[in-house]
Amino acid sequence: MRTRISLFGAIFTTLILQTIAIPLFQIPNDYDRYGNNCPLFSRENVECPLLCVTNQNLCPPQLAATCPPGLTFCGDGQCKTTCEGIVNTCQCGDATLNYYPCAAGQLVNITHFDPVNQVLQIQNVCRANANIDNRTINTWGDFNTSSIWLACPIVEPYFTFTEPMWIAVWALMAAEAVILALWCVYKWIRESRYRYGGETSTKDSSIAVNDHISESVMKDGYEKSSVKLEESTKTKDGGQSTIDSDSIEESEKLKFRGFLNDYFGMFAFGSVVVTTLLFFVFLGCLVGDYYGTLGGEPLAVFLSGDLSSKIFAAVWHIAAAWFCVIMLTKKRIRNYFRIESYPHTCPYVQVERKQDELIFLADDNKWISKLREIEQRVTKRLGMDIIVSTCKIKFSENNLRYFEYQCMRYVYNSNKGCFEPYEYDLGNTHQKLQDWSSGVSSEDAKTRAAMLGANIIKVDVPSIPLAIVQEFSSFLYLYQMMCMWVWYYFQYYQMGLVQTCIILLAAIIRVFLRLKAEHRIKEMAEHVTDVTVLRDGQWIRASSADLIPGDVFEVEENTIVPCDAVILSGTVVVNESSLTGEAMPIRKFAIPHDDRVYEMNGSGKVNTLFAGTTIFQTTPQPSSDDGKQEESRVYALTLRTGIASEKGMLIHKILFPSPVSFIFNEHLKVAISILLIWGLVAFCLTLYLMGRGNITSWFYGVFIMSEIFSPLLPAAFTINQSVCSARLRKKKILCIDLPRINLSGKVRIFCFDKTGTLTREGLEFYGSVAAPSAVVGPFGHRQEDPLKMEPVLAMGIATCHAVTEVNDQFIGNPVDIESFNAMKWDLLKPEKADYLDTVAAPSPRPTKDRKVVHVIRRFEFVHARASQSVAVLDPDTHHVHVYLKGSFERVKYLSHPDSIPANYDPQAAKYAQEGCYVLAMAHRDLGVLGQDVTMQQIKTMTRDELEQDCLFAGFVLFRNMLKHDTTDAIAQLKGGDTRVVMITGDTALTGIYIARQCGMIASHQRILLGDLVAGTVVWHDIESGDQVNVDEIIQMDPRDEHEKRIELAVTGSAFEALIKEERMRKYLMMTRVFARMTPNDKVMCVQLHMEKGVTAMCGDGGNDCGALRAAHVGLALSEAEASIVSPFSTSNRSIMQCVELMKQGRAALATSFANYKFLILYGESMAFWELIMFYFTVIASQPIWITIDGFITTTMTFAITQAQPAKTLSPCRPTAKPLGIYTLASLLGVIFINFWFIVCSVVWLFQQDWFICNEFDSSSIDSAKWWLIGDNYEAEIISLVIIFQFFNSGAIVNFGSQFRQSWWRNYVLVFIWACFFVSTSYLTLADPNPYSCIFRLNCGTDKVLVDLGYPQPYWDIPPYNSPVGHNVLPRDFRWKLWGYILANCACNIIWERICILWVARDWAVKRKKTHPKKNRAVFKL
């Protein structure tokens, strides 16, 4: 609509279309308010039509066909020096007519110009002015008289559509149609053999025919299959061993379809590409010709505006349909132009996978559900619910056919007749894995590499041009593009450029963030280095990309582990922070030569190196007697490579996440549907009002549709999320998934890991408690000073560990390092080869020598045994002491029963309830070395022999201290109506203590702990220790479930049992602490909470990775690579970042809705404005359109995003429903108020005496000057009212300080609003001035302004295109109008701020409390 503004500037001297005022309910300027006929206006210098006569002697004297000397009277009725090339105008191209012109150029003044009968009136006045006698003068066409008034019939230019240009167009269209038709027939014939099971010549083919659509049940795309390998790939004993792999997590069905290239198909596909480009060229030519850039002048090629417009509309519709088909088939179209055949014989395989969309915050609205059903049926019908990928078939060196899909290699299995991924199993016991210590042969390696692919996680990051194409290949951009084509064509290119730039900016932001994230993943995934590999019995240097399962490679210091491997020889210190987030390095050991089962993620974790971790230190195994070369190396056996590795599966989850949807998106689809339906209605009204359906009205209809559903709406959301992301970066929170920002504003449940998240990093040494002297005696007091501890216990704490020193940094278990530092002993270099470590005790006095002891045997901590032990030689006494350290449960089991105090368990439970991490220490004296026991005996003792008959020595206590701001953060989250939950791997009692300490559990709450005892979940009261019936206890509390004074805690084993019994959901929202949870348990727990509401997870990146990825919102308190799995990560390890994230998320969601409401109000106000203008056939001036679209809309949209988040969390969340009651009430109220104010302004205008009889009538103006069709009161009044409505809408949507700071703190918006208010007020109130005359408001033609009593203007004013000659409002009416407009703004403010955000919201809050929704759970905070 804005288009017409400048459209009819310079170029409409060529393009003249008739404008007729056609108001439906009144005739302009017929009667005044009192029933009197309106006076007619005078019209000066009206040009008379040319008088044509059969004989020029009949011309009246005033119009005599005579000329001054030297000039000749020509056929156009003018005197010129030569008449060459000038034809007789009176013949109108018909040489048989004998009429000749009289003098042309007669001008007359008409005192009472009648626009209805203007033709006859002009002829009569011209006749009287020329003193023509009473002879009859007919008009052109009635040749029965000697005199006629010239009125040649207008012949519009036209195409026969047989011109060369059109012949080329028809030829291209026909050629494309023929090509496509022939291809369909050709494709059907070529595929008939395949479709109907033609002859097959091989066994493979017959297999493929019977099941040509190969389906493989995969887990996460990776099938764990047992396949018969060639003899060279079998284990040495000929058997096939198994390694359990966790690379498989989700089941999915893959459908494989094979396609062959075809020259005709390539040609046909090329023709589709060319045709698509030609549509752009054609539309560009139409636009270029419109502006004169194609032929040197406007419409040089397409002849006239009307004809060009019709052609543009036709091409626009055809192009839109063509582009829609391309969009719908974009994933399949290339293969359509290939020949389908058996997958195992084709160079391309199309992989199809059905994917269901996950809907968050499922809505019970029946209209939403109905629309979702329709959408699902349509998407299923169109095949849009199938994810399609095309993979190119490749051949390995041994001629195996394979393709790679989602980073995994699928190899053709001729036995099964399908493609499937492979996995090699090397054994499931320590001894079987040790049997591979001699490595594999080069031939075996080659075969396995062909089956599995290179040991590299290849991440394909699209190029920038391809990423841009992928970004723009959606229907949303198609809608925006087609709207912009109309804007560009219809002379509104200025605002088209502005909106195009905004759309492009939003798209570039999305492309940039996507490429940045994928490049970061690529850097993490594609690591290749050189390694030393044992092949054919020789150590050789090779690329890590060549590693295959079964390879033995040397583990080298300061390198990154290239694959998942098990250590066969030596000791390794490794940093696993890239996978676990644990900052402390870990010592790992070679697997022993025994037949115990190897569990990679269980007890064997201490023997396993994971891909992507960093080697800090290696210690070779002492040389054996046979002097093998391998003993001088630390080497490991490759187990899993590439995408099958732990790192590979992590990358796979990142690259191919499950699709997510937000209820906001679901409602938005309905809102868009409603807007498009309303746009269609407005389109039809426009066709009727603006010319009863002529082609020009079609353009106006498209414009009004593009205003109602603004192309800026999606871009506004992206820009808002980008602004919020930038604010998060300032708070050191990195976001790699922008849509999750809005989702974080709806979090109802926040799950926390404990250690390193709620508490400080690691455990702090809390002292020791020595065993009582008598079994029935009381325990002593806790002692933190190492010099005051019981000596035997102190020595055990200082020596029973695996701490080592690398580059002046202690390496080992963090608990061991903490206790060793607290004891203040020093780690010295061993004095003898038999000594593993030498440690020196602190001296109580500076002058006294330090006590030194030597560690001569050590058994590392094993998770399965939950203990570790050492043998220590005291050189002062030559006694050998054995120390056993582990969990208090395990030490009790291993210690001599007679040494266990009677109150052992209560005492340990007491310390656990106080938040302590409780270890126990036991001691045994082997006697004097060399007398009671020998060094050889000690070195050859088994672990069980060394640890037997130890006597309990005491407890070793550690505490996990809360971070300084944890309590405050938890309080703020609970105050923000967010349920907080702890999911920890620590003990239940410790978790409960921390939960109470930080405020998760109130002090008055009764706590019941569920644990698995003999296969049954048993509940105990934490305070009394009594066994209770949990259901009875819950039932006895008469309060509502969310107010019951009972909190539950469960252990991991109880959690798993309750899941199996399908009872966990029953207790879920009463369970506050989930303890001893494995990584898989954490994922399951988070998923259960996700069923109840939007769930967030916060962890330190350790074994929380799965839960962080699974949750709706994950925040990793880590900078490690594992944080990539989380949408949010932060280097600030305070959980106050969770509060900050929620504040920013709520503000972002509220701001998204503010922008949504603003652009909806913009579209509705624009629609009503345009429809009223169309009714009167007026169009506001171009500067007004530019102000609205170029300044108000864009600046307000940006200013709204500058609202800062609230200082504290509100006890509620912003709505996520664009069609919710609050949103609809707010929008409909403002739309209703604005509509009636703009309608009433027109009604009020018609009550003014100075306006009646000065109404706009397009029949009385120069129809060529369309850009001046706003020179009237009607356009002026509604324009002034609507401008205020536009920028005031931007202000009222900024109200609401629950989730954002007060509106006046959005200084950018306040400043912009004030500027528009002052500017528009000046336009409304000021006398004619240069500024208002730019907008054609309160201005007029120079002479008319002087006649009205205003000074002679010193600025240039194009003459007004109306009989009145001005649209200056009376001064008193200007002030009344300004007050009326302020009343409009005030009513909107009252409705939004008082009625909606105060009265209605308070009523809604009270009603929600008294009448809660049946389907909405009230959470216990």
Side-chain angles (χ1 to χ4, degrees), residues 276 331 349 359 410 622 799 818 962 1037 1352:
T276 303
K331 291 292 186 180
V349 171
I359 308 298
Y410 289 75
T799 59
E818 172 65 21
L962 282 177
D1037 193 325
Q1352 176 69 38

Side-chain angles (χ1 to χ4, degrees), residues 576-596:
E576 293 189 338
S577 63
S578 61
L579 287 180
T580 66
E582 175 58 61
M584 296 300 295
I586 299 172
R587 178 180 285 184
K588 299 206 172 189
F589 310 91
I591 55 173
H593 291 266
D594 57 34
D595 290 326
R596 281 188 294 146

Side-chain angles (χ1 to χ4, degrees), residues 962-1235:
L962 282 177
K963 294 177 180 177
H964 68 283
D965 54 2
T966 295
T967 303
D968 185 26
I970 295 297
Q972 289 194 41
L973 289 173
K974 295 178 74 172
D977 191 38
T978 306
R979 175 173 171 81
V980 288
V981 175
M982 182 190 297
I983 308 176
T984 178
D986 208 339
T987 63
L989 293 177
T990 303
I992 292 169
Y993 175 80
I994 294 297
R996 271 185 163 162
Q997 195 177 24
C998 70
M1000 276 190 184
I1001 300 176
S1003 58
H1004 63 274
Q1005 296 280 350
R1006 183 180 183 183
I1007 304 174
L1008 306 181
L1009 172 62
D1011 198 359
L1012 192 67
V1013 178
T1016 304
V1017 178
V1018 178
W1019 299 86
H1020 289 87
D1021 187 305
I1022 290 298
E1023 300 297 334
S1024 64
D1026 298 334
Q1027 183 173 332
V1028 297
N1029 185 310
V1030 65
D1031 294 319
E1032 290 181 0
I1033 297 295
I1034 294 174
Q1035 191 66 30
M1036 287 170 55
D1037 193 325
R1039 303 174 186 85
D1040 292 336
E1041 184 173 338
H1042 66 281
E1043 294 179 341
K1044 291 183 183 293
R1045 296 186 175 180
I1046 298 170
E1047 295 280 8
L1048 304 183
V1050 296
T1051 62
S1053 55
F1055 174 79
E1056 293 173 358
L1058 290 171
I1059 289 289
K1060 292 178 181 178
E1061 297 170 8
E1062 298 185 352
R1063 290 197 294 155
M1064 191 63 244
R1065 287 179 175 84
K1066 176 182 176 181
Y1067 304 128
L1068 184 68
M1069 300 316 294
M1070 295 191 67
T1071 306
R1072 186 73 65 176
V1073 177
F1074 298 84
R1076 292 297 190 196
M1077 300 287 277
T1078 66
N1080 287 335
D1081 289 339
K1082 289 188 176 186
V1083 172
M1084 179 63 72
C1085 186
V1086 166
Q1087 290 174 338
L1088 287 176
H1089 283 93
M1090 289 168 67
E1091 296 176 4
K1092 302 294 184 180
V1094 177
T1095 302
M1097 175 69 192
C1098 178
D1100 60 356
N1103 51 12
D1104 309 308
C1105 290
L1108 288 170
R1109 188 64 181 176
H1112 292 144
V1113 176
L1115 175 61
L1117 304 184
S1118 171
E1119 290 182 290
E1121 291 175 336
S1123 65
I1124 298 178
V1125 303
S1126 177
F1128 301 92
S1129 59
T1130 176
S1131 58
N1132 183 350
R1133 299 200 168 212
S1134 165
I1135 68 164
M1136 196 59 79
Q1137 295 292 78
C1138 300
V1139 179
E1140 188 64 40
L1141 175 60
M1142 288 189 60
K1143 289 193 294 186
Q1144 295 286 355
R1146 291 183 178 187
L1149 184 57
T1151 302
S1152 290
F1153 267 81
N1155 256 326
Y1156 163 79
K1157 289 165 60 178
F1158 171 67
L1159 290 174
I1160 294 296
L1161 293 174
Y1162 156 82
E1164 300 312 304
S1165 297
M1166 184 69 77
F1168 294 140
W1169 181 41
E1170 291 172 349
L1171 289 174
I1172 292 174
M1173 288 195 298
F1174 295 163
Y1175 176 82
F1176 292 108
T1177 323
V1178 299
I1179 301 171
S1181 65
Q1182 182 181 15
I1184 293 176
W1185 290 95
I1186 293 176
T1187 298
I1188 293 172
D1189 282 331
F1191 293 97
I1192 295 179
T1193 306
T1194 54
T1195 56
M1196 276 294 182
T1197 299
F1198 173 74
I1200 290 170
T1201 67
Q1202 301 305 299
Q1204 298 294 318
K1207 296 292 185 182
T1208 58
L1209 287 175
S1210 170
C1212 61
R1213 282 162 293 277
T1215 179
K1217 299 179 180 179
L1219 294 179
I1221 295 177
Y1222 158 72
T1223 310
L1224 289 178
S1226 173
L1227 286 173
L1228 294 177
V1230 175
I1231 291 171
F1232 180 83
I1233 292 169
N1234 285 342
F1235 173 76

Side-chain angles (χ1 to χ4, degrees), residues 9-248:
I11 72 172
F12 270 90
T13 55
T14 306
L15 177 62
I16 300 177
L17 302 175
Q18 187 176 7
T19 304
I20 302 174
I22 46 175
L24 300 179
F25 305 112
Q26 98 275 356
I27 301 174
N29 301 321
D30 51 353
Y31 299 100
D32 62 15
R33 294 179 61 204
Y34 310 105
N36 302 319
N37 289 324
C38 289
L40 297 175
F41 294 101
S42 62
R43 177 70 69 87
E44 296 180 352
N45 297 323
V46 177
E47 186 174 359
C48 292
L50 186 64
L51 181 64
C52 297
V53 294
T54 54
N55 189 323
Q56 290 183 332
N57 293 329
L58 298 176
C59 293
Q62 291 86 341
L63 302 177
T66 58
C67 292
L71 297 177
T72 303
F73 190 82
C74 299
D76 59 356
Q78 298 182 24
C79 296
K80 298 182 179 179
T81 55
T82 177
C83 295
E84 183 179 356
I86 298 176
V87 299
N88 184 352
T89 307
C90 289
Q91 293 179 335
C92 293
D94 187 352
T96 62
L97 296 177
N98 296 318
Y99 282 91
Y100 306 96
C102 296
Q106 180 188 11
L107 300 176
V108 296
N109 294 328
I110 303 176
T111 55
H112 297 87
F113 183 76
D114 183 1
V116 178
N117 303 304
Q118 57 179 302
V119 174
L120 183 59
Q121 184 186 39
I122 291 173
Q123 290 176 357
N124 291 335
V125 173
C126 290
R127 177 178 184 147
N129 189 64
N131 295 322
I132 300 175
D133 54 25
N134 293 328
R135 73 178 104 153
T136 302
I137 305 178
N138 291 334
T139 57
W140 197 94
D142 185 355
F143 306 116
N144 297 324
T145 60
S146 59
S147 302
I148 59 172
W149 295 109
L150 181 64
C152 291
I154 299 176
V155 179
E156 289 286 342
Y158 64 93
F159 284 118
T160 64
F161 295 102
T162 58
E163 293 83 358
M165 175 182 72
W166 289 109
I167 291 175
V169 172
W170 306 139
L172 288 171
M173 292 177 63
E176 182 62 21
V178 169
I179 291 171
L180 294 178
L182 289 176
W183 170 252
C184 289
V185 176
Y186 176 80
K187 181 180 176 70
W188 183 83
I189 294 172
R190 284 286 308 275
E191 292 178 354
S192 58
R193 179 186 300 178
Y194 161 74
R195 293 183 183 279
Y196 302 110
E199 296 181 3
T200 56
S201 58
T202 66
K203 178 183 176 182
D204 293 344
S205 298
S206 63
I207 292 171
V209 170
N210 295 328
D211 186 18
H212 62 265
I213 299 177
S214 304
E215 293 184 356
S216 301
V217 179
M218 308 295 170
K219 293 182 179 179
D220 207 353
Y222 206 93
E223 183 181 3
K224 187 177 180 181
S225 57
S226 297
V227 298
K228 290 184 178 180
L229 304 177
E230 297 298 329
E231 195 69 27
S232 60
T233 64
K234 293 182 179 180
T235 55
K236 295 180 180 180
D237 58 5
Q240 195 72 34
S241 55
T242 303
I243 294 179
D244 292 335
S245 173
D246 295 329
S247 63
I248 305 177

Side-chain angles (χ1 to χ4, degrees), residues 244-308:
D244 292 335
S245 173
D246 295 329
S247 63
I248 305 177
E249 293 186 358
E250 293 181 358
S251 294
E252 62 181 10
K253 275 206 168 184
L254 299 181
K255 182 177 179 180
F256 302 135
R257 299 174 63 188
F259 290 91
L260 299 166
N261 269 331
D262 184 89
Y263 288 114
F264 185 22
M266 295 171 65
F267 175 75
F269 177 71
S271 70
V272 171
V273 175
V274 171
T275 301
T276 303
L277 296 176
L278 286 177
F279 273 117
F280 285 101
V281 172
F282 204 161
L283 290 169
C285 288
L286 285 162
V287 173
D289 181 61
Y290 184 84
Y291 292 101
T293 58
L294 200 61
E297 61 180 12
L299 304 172
V301 176
F302 294 99
L303 305 182
S304 71
D306 187 64
L307 188 57
S308 176

